Structure formats: structure tokens, C-alpha cells
Amino acid sequence: MERLQKVIADSGVTSRRKAEELILAGKVRVNGEVISELGVKVSGNDIVEVDGAILDRDIVKKYYLLNKPRGVISSVSDEKKRPTVVDYIDTDVRIYPVGRLDYDTTGLIILTNDGKLANLLMHPTNHVPKTYIAKIEGFLNKDEIDRLRSGVRIDGRKVFVDHFKIRDKNLEKKTSLVEITIVEGRNHIVKKLFESLGHPVIRLSRIKIAFLEIDKLKSGEYRELTIKEVKKLYSLK
Ligand code: URA
């Protein structure tokens, strides 16, 4: 038996917190009966409906790693009809991206229909490291690097930098290429971080999510994760 909100979140419909809101709003039924309080547990045989749709709990789980090109939106559909990350994956399964990369950011993004893993990877307490290469304006001085390493406050919360290094400097164009690993997933966080130090990001690419590296994946290419990799991602919790 598992808590209703967990079963809903694990099926990939939404997060656990939103599932709780749906329950409290009377939008969830178990075996035809509306459940509007938290704490109810269900078994694998119970039929769970969310907003009138029955949860498919035995669906085959699929996991993809895509090297997202620039000019692609990290969502399942786009009202402006721009290409989305899902368009790149040849599958009949309804998958969605785990977290977001900006429209103009390139690099690694995981797509899956496994809500349990998606929630695990996105939950801030699990500290999943992500590595980015950023081309920034100007050159960082020692004081700025120290500030970066000791945690810059963005929107009232510190960004903890796991690892930072300057890869290259272009003295003519006055730009730097830096590598940075952070363990959080707030929107636009890398851009905000360098912006706050006075070095706006010109180009950004994510080259690593936990132990998953970009390797031979070219822009727009993807591969399925192996069972071993999926297990390893689960063990990050
Ligand atoms: N940080 C950003 O600023 N943009 C991204 O796409 C990812 C992390």
C-alpha cells in the first residue's frame, strides 16, 4: 500500500505537492469514490482517477538522454509551435523532459515517463550535480571567483558551486570559457549567477548530469539510458 499522492506523482502526472492539491480540490477518485483528504493509501489493484483520467500504473518506463540543440523548447508542446525536445525522440510513449534548459541553452536533458525518477532528480534535497560550460563576457578576478566558490545569493537563496574552473580566455574578444558544477535546478540559474557578478552569459551548454556525460552525442542526437544507469540515478537519493 502506498500513499495516494505518491502513486499519482510516481505515474508522472504531476509532482507530489500538486497531487496533494488535486486531492484536496476533490479531483481524485479511488475506485469511483472521490477522495478529498490526505493520508489515504492505495494498492496496485485500486483504480485511481485524476481529473477524470485513469492512471496507467503499469506503463513501460522509458529513459532518453538528448543533446538539445539551440532554439528548442524544453517542454512537451509549445503554443508558438516552436520545436520541442520531445520532437527529437522517436517513441510512441508519452515522455516529458526532466527539468528545463533555456530555449538558447544546448546540451544534456533527460526525457522519461517515469515520474518517480523525474521527481527524484529534480528534488533539491537530492543534490544532483549538473555541469555547464558557459561563455561569459569579460574575465573573472580573484575576488569574483572567491565569491562564486563561497556561494552567491540569488533571489534570496545561495547557489552552492560544487566545482568551478576557467577553461579558456579570449583576450581579443574579452570573453572567458568557464566550467561550473552546481547542484540545483532553479530556472536561468547559471545566467543569473554570472549576471550578478557582472559577466553576462553569451552561450551556455550542459555537458554533464550526475555521471551522465555528453560523450559522442552530437547536437540533436539522443540515446536510451541503460538499466544500470537508471539504477545508478535512483541511487542518488
Ligand atoms: N541555467 C541557466 O541559466 N539556463 C539553463 O538553461 C540552465 C541552467
Side-chain angles (χ1 to χ4, degrees), residues 100-102 105 132 186-192 204:
R100 267 165 203 282
L101 284 180
D102 294 334
T105 300
Y132 299 85
R186 278 188 274 164
N187 284 346
H188 319 304
I189 197 67
V190 176
K191 289 179 186 166
K192 284 183 176 174
L204 186 63

Side-chain angles (χ1 to χ4, degrees), residues 68 72-74 99-103 105-109 132 206:
K68 177 184 120 35
V72 174
I73 210 107
S74 295
R100 267 165 203 282
L101 284 180
D102 294 334
Y103 186 63
T105 300
T106 59
L108 291 183
I109 189 158
Y132 299 85
R206 183 153 71 189

Side-chain angles (χ1 to χ4, degrees), residues 34-52:
V34 173
I35 304 291
S36 52
E37 60 195 39
L38 303 176
V40 170
K41 288 187 171 178
V42 290
S43 76
N45 294 326
D46 289 316
I47 295 170
V48 179
E49 276 172 83
V50 178
D51 257 345

Side-chain angles (χ1 to χ4, degrees), residues 76-194:
V76 203
S77 62
D78 182 46
E79 55 197 23
K80 294 188 201 152
K81 299 270 182 281
R82 290 171 295 185
T84 75
V85 283
V86 172
D87 296 338
Y88 281 82
I89 315 283
D90 185 15
T91 179
D92 294 333
V93 174
R94 274 197 338 161
I95 48 167
Y96 45 86
V98 177
R100 267 165 203 282
L101 284 180
D102 294 334
Y103 186 63
D104 59 351
T105 300
T106 59
L108 291 183
I109 189 158
I110 294 173
L111 294 105
T112 183
N113 58 345
D114 181 351
K116 194 169 178 171
L117 185 69
N119 286 321
L120 183 157
L121 293 176
M122 284 192 289
H123 204 282
T125 57
N126 291 329
H127 300 300
V128 178
K130 293 161 205 103
T131 302
Y132 299 85
I133 302 277
K135 184 177 174 186
I136 59 170
E137 278 181 19
F139 312 113
L140 291 155
N141 61 31
K142 187 177 175 310
D143 175 52
E144 288 163 342
I145 294 172
D146 286 347
R147 275 171 63 202
L148 201 67
R149 291 213 166 107
S150 57
V152 177
R153 203 168 272 281
I154 304 285
D155 302 330
R157 204 147 43 85
K158 260 193 180 182
V159 182
F160 291 102
V161 173
D162 246 24
H163 170 81
F164 174 78
K165 86 170 180 216
I166 296 170
R167 278 197 169 196
D168 202 6
K169 286 181 194 172
N170 187 325
L171 300 178
E172 213 174 286
K173 294 195 174 142
K174 296 197 172 55
T175 58
S176 308
L177 205 60
V178 298
E179 181 177 318
I180 185 166
T181 304
I182 52 172
V183 293
E184 66 154 277
R186 278 188 274 164
N187 284 346
H188 319 304
I189 197 67
V190 176
K191 289 179 186 166
K192 284 183 176 174
L193 192 60
F194 286 107

